[in-house]
Each structure stands twice: as structure tokens, then as C-alpha cells.
Amino acid sequence: MLLKEYNVKEEKLVIMDAEGNIVNKKIMPKLSQKQIMDSYKTMVLSRVQDERMLQWQRQGRMLTFPPSLGQEGIQMGVALALRKQDWLAPAFRSNVTWLAKGWPMSDIMLFWNGNEMGSRMPEGVRILPVNVPIATQFSHAVGLSYAAKVKKLDEVAMTFIGDGGTSEGEFYEAMNFAKNLNTPTVFIIQNNQYAISTHRSKQSAAKTLSQKGIAAGLPHLQVDGNDIFAVYAAVLEARKLASAGKGPSLIECVAYRFGPHTTADNPDLYREKSEELEARKIGPIVRLKKYLIKNKLWTEEQDVELHKESKATVNAAFKEMQTKLDVKLDDVFNYTFEKLTPNLKSQLAEAKKLFNK
Ligand SMILES: Cc1ncc(C[n+]2csc(CCOP(=O)(O)OP(=O)(O)O)c2C)c(N)n1
Ligand SMILES: [Mg+2]
């Protein structure tokens, strides 16, 4: 057992060190070479997508969005442990898990361009719409997993929160409900060291954020979020517990936000560039790349090729997104109530007259 209900030691789980060496062979999770390489490819694809979207935002071709730069290891490790029938109640910073679970990239871009139609998931893709009010997704995940429990279905709900989000009341309330109802829920903290400009050290006096699970009676663990294998091993165990009727768990994944909070933020105003550069040296993508190269699964040439292919995929998704940008006037009114209320009907008629539609 990696996760414990009262883990006084509070050690951070590491399986792969910063040089890509497996330092904890006994608990290295079983993954095929293909799974590891595919994971790397998805992480790089998301990295390229974030970088391109930042450029497009600066050119006025994209609206505000929160990049996942530096958090690819967490998000991919979680995706590996998710089964198709499992639910994801995401926070706004979850791009790799979205891609891996099947939210089309062009629709993700559409959503971040302000068009809600981007949130319409393809049939069978169990991702809730992006949640901006912090911590509310924790309760949604408890609701979903409680429903699965009542219906006796093997469906687990996973949900993300940031380090800052763990200071919200709803973070505790959801965990408390989940444990009391013994729901199959996996709570994941993406600790990227910052809540906008507030550093982790100013966020909470708790030694770890994972220990916040103790109060609710949850098995919990802190893992190195730059280490995809540690994240996967921990989340897989949490999923197994949930699926076996043993209830919810809490996992804190520690990484670093390489980029701005969102495109509306400028981290140079509150942190040293050197801090980011140090964090980049031990980040999730360089680390996995070192592992792949050491194990002769990957070459620098393949890496150059992958970046080229990823850019082409991202550019194609952007083009596709541009064809879907148009908003229908009816859609502005259509989705609040099952049927239009008399008030909304008259407002729609007025809007149609105003816009000559
Ligand atoms: C309930 C609520 N309060 C405040 C905000 C404004 N807000 C958006 S993101 C953010 C910081 C979030 O930090 P963290 O939880 O660490 O997540 P991260 O952005 O680092 O992924 C705040 C305060 C919000 N979206 N919802
Ligand atoms: Mg944060």
C-alpha cells in the first residue's frame, strides 16, 4: 500500500529521478513500451499546443486561457489510470488529461475562444465542462461517484484541484461527504506552487497538502508530479481502492507552473525567472525523454520529428476551430431552461430584430 490513512512520515513518492533513472524499482508500475511512448507523445503535443496558443493569444487570435506547462506529468499519469467509464471533473488546467481522454483539440480551442459549443463532449467522453469557480468540481465528482455507487456500476470519478483550491471550504466539504458516503472518488491536487501570484509557502502552513486528507479520514499521499510513473502508481492504487468499494483517496502531485497563471498574468512581476529555469531542468517532459533515451526507446531525431508533427496537428486543430467560431443567436438563449420562458422568448425576438436575424 502506497496510500495511508494516517501517514505521519509524509514522504514524497518518487519512482523516476530527475535524470530519468528508475530509483524505486519495486513499485515501478507495469506499462508497455507503447503506453510510455504514447504518453510522452501526448505530453509533447499538449506542450506544443500551449506554446502555440500563447502565441495566438498575443496576436489576438485566441482569448484568455490557462496553460498546463510543467504539469503534463501529473495530467498524463492521471489519464493513464482512468478507464473509459470513469468520470473526470476537471479544474480549468487539465489539458493533457482532456486530450488523452478524448476531448478533441479543436473543441478545447473553441471553448477557450469563448464558444461554449466547444464543451459539447463527443458521445462516450466522460469529461464534465471546464469548471472555473474553484473547488466546485470536487462536489460534482462526489455526486457522480455516489450515483455510480447507488447504481452499483464500476465507475470512478476523478477530480483535480490546485494548491490554492485546497484552502476553499468546498475542498473539505466534498472530501467529508465522500468519505462518509464511501464514494469511489479520487481527489487529485495539482500543486504547481502558485495560486496566481500567491506562493505555496503563503497558501497554507500545513507541511504537505496531502495531509489535509487526514481530517476527512482519507488515504492520502504526496507524489513527485514531474514523475509520471509515481503519479500513475499512486492514482492506479487510488482507483483500485475506489473500485473495490474502499472509498475515496487524496493525492497531492508536486510540480511547477512554468508559464503564466493565464494569458492575463505576468509572472515576472512576482517571481524570479531563475526559479522557473531551475524548475524546467527537472520538469516532466525532459525527465521522461531522458528515461526513453536511456532505455533506447527514443532518439533526438525522433524528437525533432515529433515536434514537427505536433505543430502540424496543433495548426490543423486551430484551422478547424476557426470554422466553428460562429455563434448562433438562438444558442445564446437555448441552454438555460428546457423550454424558453416567456421572458426569454420576448428577449430573443428583440435580439433577432436588433441583429437583423
Ligand atoms: C471560488 C473562486 N474564487 C476565486 C477565483 C479566482 N481565481 C481563479 S484561479 C485562482 C487561483 C487558483 O490557484 P490554484 O488553486 O493553485 O490553481 P492553479 O491556477 O494554480 O492551477 C483564483 C483565485 C475563482 N475562479 N473561483
Ligand atoms: Mg496552483
Side-chain angles (χ1 to χ4, degrees):
M1 279 287 288
L2 301 170
L3 282 74
K4 296 193 175 58
E5 267 177 39
Y6 190 66
N7 189 354
V8 271
K9 274 199 187 154
E10 295 296 348
E11 280 168 359
K12 186 159 72 178
L13 181 78
V14 182
I15 294 180
M16 171 172 60
D17 71 10
E19 291 309 310
N21 301 309
I22 301 304
V23 291
N24 210 338
K25 288 203 174 78
K26 269 201 297 205
I27 53 167
M28 172 71 179
K30 282 198 189 73
L31 285 167
S32 68
Q33 291 183 351
K34 184 174 181 314
Q35 276 176 307
I36 300 175
M37 279 161 58
D38 285 349
S39 299
Y40 179 71
K41 288 176 186 169
T42 307
M43 288 159 71
V44 169
L45 180 62
S46 175
R47 175 72 59 97
V48 172
Q49 181 192 343
D50 271 338
E51 285 167 351
R52 292 294 284 147
M53 279 171 59
L54 278 171
Q55 288 169 339
W56 287 321
Q57 196 277 339
R58 298 302 186 234
Q59 294 165 356
R61 298 157 84 194
M62 218 43 237
L63 297 184
T64 306
F65 79 97
S68 287
L69 300 165
Q71 293 170 233
E72 294 90 348
I74 305 174
Q75 298 175 10
M76 191 63 229
V78 169
L80 278 170
L82 279 170
R83 303 242 179 114
K84 197 164 169 44
Q85 72 268 28
D86 295 340
W87 288 95
L88 175 71
F92 41 77
R93 203 183 307 283
S94 315
N95 199 62
V96 186
T97 323
W98 293 332
L99 290 175
K101 205 167 161 52
W103 187 4
M105 189 188 284
S106 62
D107 284 343
I108 298 176
M109 289 176 175
L110 188 62
F111 172 77
W112 290 122
N113 243 323
N115 190 325
E116 279 291 344
M117 281 303 178
S119 297
R120 229 171 27 173
M121 295 295 155
E123 203 59 47
V125 174
R126 296 190 148 182
I127 305 176
L128 294 193
V130 172
N131 226 62
V132 173
I134 292 175
T136 48
Q137 69 275 13
F138 256 44
S139 303
H140 304 158
V142 178
L144 282 168
S145 47
Y146 186 45
K149 184 185 161 173
V150 170
K151 292 183 186 164
K152 298 191 170 35
L153 299 170
D154 178 22
E155 290 171 10
V156 169
M158 286 201 200
T159 184
F160 284 126
I161 201 161
D163 42 302
T166 68
S167 301
E168 286 282 344
E170 198 157 355
F171 166 77
Y172 294 100
E173 287 152 18
M175 290 195 302
N176 190 54
F177 254 105
K179 187 65 185 182
N180 282 330
L181 297 170
N182 204 42
T183 58
T185 328
V186 181
F187 298 107
I188 316 258
I189 303 167
Q190 295 198 60
N191 174 359
N192 62 4
Q193 315 286 340
Y194 284 92
I196 315 183
S197 56
T198 303
H199 188 255
R200 160 67 181 90
S201 57
K202 296 199 182 95
Q203 187 63 243
S204 166
K207 196 169 152 216
T208 70
L209 299 177
S210 52
Q211 71 183 211
K212 294 188 175 194
I214 294 173
L218 262 63
H220 62 283
L221 184 69
Q222 186 188 58
V223 307
D224 185 339
N226 291 316
D227 171 0
I228 184 176
F229 300 130
V231 175
Y232 174 58
V235 180
L236 191 65
E237 188 174 292
R239 195 205 175 276
K240 274 187 195 151
L241 287 174
S243 172
K246 295 190 175 155
S249 319
L250 174 69
I251 296 167
E252 175 192 2
C253 308
V254 185
Y256 187 89
R257 196 194 73 211
F258 294 166
H261 167 71
T262 65
T263 47
D265 170 49
N266 176 9
D268 293 341
L269 297 176
Y270 54 82
R271 70 185 194 192
E272 296 295 328
K273 189 76 184 164
S274 56
E275 188 185 288
E276 177 203 320
L277 296 177
E278 282 307 305
R280 278 185 183 270
K281 285 188 201 156
I282 58 162
I285 293 187
V286 283
R287 189 177 297 208
L288 188 56
K289 182 179 161 188
K290 281 181 184 167
Y291 168 89
L292 289 171
I293 290 180
K294 275 186 183 162
N295 287 279
K296 311 231 176 320
L297 295 170
W298 199 245
T299 61
E300 287 294 350
E301 293 71 41
Q302 279 174 294
D303 214 56
V304 172
E305 206 44 46
L306 174 64
H307 278 82
K308 256 194 234 160
E309 281 167 20
S310 303
K311 254 185 209 155
T313 306
V314 171
N315 287 342
F318 186 72
K319 267 203 182 136
E320 192 184 336
M321 178 273 289
Q322 284 175 313
T323 66
K324 300 192 236 174
L325 266 176
D326 207 22
V327 179
K328 292 194 194 84
L329 190 54
D330 290 272
D331 286 346
V332 177
F333 294 84
N334 268 346
Y335 298 103
T336 308
F337 300 102
E338 190 189 1
K339 284 188 193 138
L340 285 186
T341 60
N343 251 349
L344 284 178
K345 262 189 203 161
S346 73
Q347 285 176 27
L348 174 61
E350 206 175 310
K352 281 191 169 166
K353 228 197 259 166
L354 188 68
F355 295 109
N356 275 330
K357 298 253 175 175

